[in-house]
């Protein structure tokens, strides 16, 4: 894996640059998969993101991890699912290399020596508790057999009984005893340190604050009542002044309302008139278009009337029609002549046939 700059703590949790975050996610996931003992090719910048994500999720499922979310959640390069995938892969990599967490080593804090008055002859409850706890731990650690303990206690009782028999009379002077008591008395003094976490201190503070609030409330209540009364009087003055102004301006208000009603009526009439104007404007535009068309047609007709080309065309057409008429007359004459000849020929044939079929009378009489 190539050298990468260190990631911020919330790099994959917040959106900064989705393209860069996705590439870093794919690169880091591939490195973790290789660390977990599975060969995985490092993705390139121009690879298909869908294929890369599917490969990463398949490797994640091969480790026995669940990935019940759509692969499109990883395309952004940040979010809950990206952190989940990286966390699972990191755990698998740590398992593979056999990493184990060690016990934390806490730094030893050096306690400052407290200045105790009266020649350090002051005994605190904390020290007493600590000594008591140490004695209990020593007693718990040093286990002694019951029989041995009984034998030791029996010997101690015998020695104490012998000592008590020896010490029956006191040879100590009373003055020396009193001096010794005065010297040792400051060491027997017990002081209780004030702990801020103690509930008694909190109760005392609550009582102090309560008394302070009550004393301050007594002073401020008078000012607040006075302010409340002044505000009430001011509101009453404002209300009376408002009523007076309303009574004085009632006629003007009526006139204003009447003028406002007239204004609304005038606006309605204006809207209606404006609608009529727009309709008439539309009709005018249509009439203007028709007029333009008529003018254009008139211009075309006038130009055609002054132009001599149509007359020339008409004359040419007339001459052509005359020629065609003459040709048709000739054809008609030829056809009539042909028809007349055919009729005459037919008539002559019929006459010849009739003369051929007539029998002479002299021939009939001889029979």
């Amino acid at each position: 894996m190539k050298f990468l700059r260190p990631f911020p703590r919330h790099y994959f949790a917040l959106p900064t640059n989705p393209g860069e975050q996705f590439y870093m996610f794919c690169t880091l996931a591939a490195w973790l998969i290789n660390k977990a003992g599975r060969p995985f090719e490092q993705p390139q910048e121009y690879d298909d993101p869908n294929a890369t994500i599917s490969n990463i999720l398949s490797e994640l499922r091969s480790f026995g991890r669940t990935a019940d979310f759509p692969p499109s959640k990883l395309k952004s390069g940040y979010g809950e699912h990206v952190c989940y995938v990286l966390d699972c892969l990191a755990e698998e990599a740590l398992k593979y290399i056999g990493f184990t967490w060690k016990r934390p080593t806490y730094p030893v804090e050096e306690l400052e020596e407290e200045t105790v008055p009266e020649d350090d002859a002051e005994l605190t409850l904390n020290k007493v508790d600590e000594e008591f706890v140490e004695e209990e731990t020593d007693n718990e650690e040093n286990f002694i057999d019951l029989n041995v303990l009984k034998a030791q206690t029996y010997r101690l009782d015998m020695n104490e009984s012998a000592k008590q028999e020896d010490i029956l009379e006191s040879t100590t002077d009373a003055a020396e005893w009193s001096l010794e008591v005065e010297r040792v008395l400051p060491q027997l003094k017990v002081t209780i340190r004030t702990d801020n976490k103690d509930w008694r201190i909190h109760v005392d503070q609550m009582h102090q604050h309560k008394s302070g609030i009550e004393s301050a409330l007594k002073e401020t209540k008078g000012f607040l009542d006075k302010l409340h009364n002044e505000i009430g009087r001011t509101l009453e003055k404002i209300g009376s002044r408002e009523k007076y102004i309303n009574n004085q301006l009632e006629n003007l208000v009526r006139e204003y309302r009447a003028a406002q009603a007239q204004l609304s009526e005038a606006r309605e009439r204006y809207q209606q008139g404006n609608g009529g104007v727009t309709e008439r404007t539309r009709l005018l535009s249509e009439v203007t278009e028709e007029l333009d068309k008529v003018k254009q047609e008139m211009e075309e007709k006038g130009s055609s009337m002054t132009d001599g080309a149509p007359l020339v065309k008409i004359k040419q057409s007339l001459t052509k029609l005359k020629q065609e008429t003459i040709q048709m007359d000739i054809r008609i004459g030829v056809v009539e002549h042909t028809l007349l000849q055919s009729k005459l020929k037919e008539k002559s044939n019929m006459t010849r046939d009739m003369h051929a079929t007539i029998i002479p009378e002299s021939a009939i009489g001889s029979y």
Side-chain angles (χ1 to χ4, degrees), residues 48-64:
D48 186 11
N50 295 320
T52 305
I53 290 172
S54 63
N55 293 332
I56 292 172
L57 291 178
S58 63
E59 293 293 338
L60 182 66
R61 293 188 183 95
S62 66
F63 289 121

Side-chain angles (χ1 to χ4, degrees), residues 256-267:
Y256 173 73
R257 289 176 181 172
Q260 195 172 8
Q262 293 177 359
L263 178 62
S264 62
E265 292 177 358
R267 284 179 178 174

